[in-house]
C-alpha cells in the first residue's frame, strides 16, 4: 500500500471517529477493526503514532458531547440530552481516558465551568419564572457530579437542588 493511500484511509477514519455518534469509543473500535482486522478492510498494522490521533478524536468527541449537554443554550434543541446524559458520558470519558493513560484534569475544569454556568443560568430563569427546571437527574446524582468535577457546595447557585427532576 502506498503511503498516500494509507494516509487517506487513516484521515477518513479519523473524521468518522471525530464526528461519531453518542459513544465515540465504539466508533474508535469499529475504525480500528476495519483498518486492521476486517476482511474487507485494508489489513493495516497500526503504529502508535497512527493509533493515537484516532484515540484523540474519540476523546475530543466525548468532550464535545459532554459540553453540548452542559450548555443551557442547547436546552430547546433536539440534540440536547441534558445533565443526566452528561453525567453518563463523563463516566465513560473518564474510564476511557484513564484506560488510555490520558489525564482528565484539563477537561474536568472546563466541564465544571460549563456545569456551573448551566446551573446559574437555569436557576436565574426558574427564579424569574421564564422557564421550568430542565435538570434531568436526581439531586444526589448532581451533587456527586459536582463533587467529581471539583465544585464545592458553596460554588453552586442557591436553590440548585430544586432544579432537579427528582430528589435524591
Amino acid at each position: 500500500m502506498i503511503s498516500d493511500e494509507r494516509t487517506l484511509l487513516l484521515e477518513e477514519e479519523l473524521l468518522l471517529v471525530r464526528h461519531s455518534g453518542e459513544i465515540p469509543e465504539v466508533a474508535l473500535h469499529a475504525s480500528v477493526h476495519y483498518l486492521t482486522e476486517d476482511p474487507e478492510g485494508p489489513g493495516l498494522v497500526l503504529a502508535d503514532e497512527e493509533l493515537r490521533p484516532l484515540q484523540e478524536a474519540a476523546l475530543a468527541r466525548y468532550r464535545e458531547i459532554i459540553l453540548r449537554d452542559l450548555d443551557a443554550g442547547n436546552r430547546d434543541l433536539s440534540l440536547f440530552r441534558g445533565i443526566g446524559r452528561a453525567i453518563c458520558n463523563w463516566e465513560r470519558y473518564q474510564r476511557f481516558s484513564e484506560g488510555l493513560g490520558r489525564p482528565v484534569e484539563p477537561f474536568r475544569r472546563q466541564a465544571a465551568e460549563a456545569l456551573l454556568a448551566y446551573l446559574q443560568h437555569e436557576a436565574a430563569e426558574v427564579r424569574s419564572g421564564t422557564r421550568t427546571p430542565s435538570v434531568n437527574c436526581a439531586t444526589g446524582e448532581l451533587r456527586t457530579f459536582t463533587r467529581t468535577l471539583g465544585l464545592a457546595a458553596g460554588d453552586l447557585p442557591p436553590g440548585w437542588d430544586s432544579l432537579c427532576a427528582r430528589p435524591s
Side-chain angles (χ1 to χ4, degrees):
M1 175 175 291
I2 57 175
S3 178
D4 288 345
E5 185 179 350
R6 182 182 187 97
T7 299
L8 288 174
L9 279 168
L10 290 167
E11 286 175 356
E12 183 176 294
E13 291 302 311
L14 180 72
L15 286 172
L16 289 171
V17 172
R18 180 60 185 91
H19 300 288
S20 65
E22 292 292 311
I23 307 178
E25 191 173 348
V26 172
L28 170 66
H29 290 298
S31 284
V32 170
H33 174 77
Y34 167 73
L35 290 169
T36 61
E37 298 174 28
D38 190 323
E40 295 180 23
L44 303 178
V45 174
L46 298 177
D48 287 343
E49 62 269 8
E50 294 171 319
L51 184 57
R52 189 173 181 92
L54 292 168
Q55 294 168 337
E56 291 300 327
L59 289 166
R61 179 65 179 147
Y62 264 123
R63 290 188 295 266
E64 179 180 59
I65 291 167
I66 292 166
L67 291 177
R68 173 200 71 198
D69 291 332
L70 295 178
D71 183 345
N74 290 335
R75 290 175 295 182
D76 297 324
L77 301 178
S78 62
L79 57 79
F80 182 72
R81 303 292 182 268
I83 291 177
R85 186 64 168 191
I87 292 169
C88 292
N89 282 320
W90 171 264
E91 291 167 356
R92 287 181 181 139
Y93 170 78
Q94 189 170 14
R95 279 191 305 272
F96 183 58
S97 295
E98 290 171 356
L100 295 174
R102 307 282 173 44
V104 297
E105 288 312 311
F107 183 58
R108 184 187 314 266
R109 288 187 293 277
Q110 188 179 6
E113 291 170 9
L115 176 60
L116 188 56
Y118 182 108
L119 293 173
Q120 290 169 338
H121 190 82
E122 178 97 350
E125 287 188 337
V126 169
R127 266 194 313 274
S128 72
T130 58
R131 182 169 207 95
T132 58
S134 68
V135 177
N136 61 348
C137 63
T139 306
E141 292 172 304
L142 183 54
R143 183 180 298 112
T144 299
F145 189 44
T146 61
R147 288 180 188 149
T148 298
L149 295 181
L151 295 170
D155 297 330
L156 305 177
W160 68 269
D161 51 342
S162 67
L163 302 174
C164 294
R166 22 185 224 284
S168 290

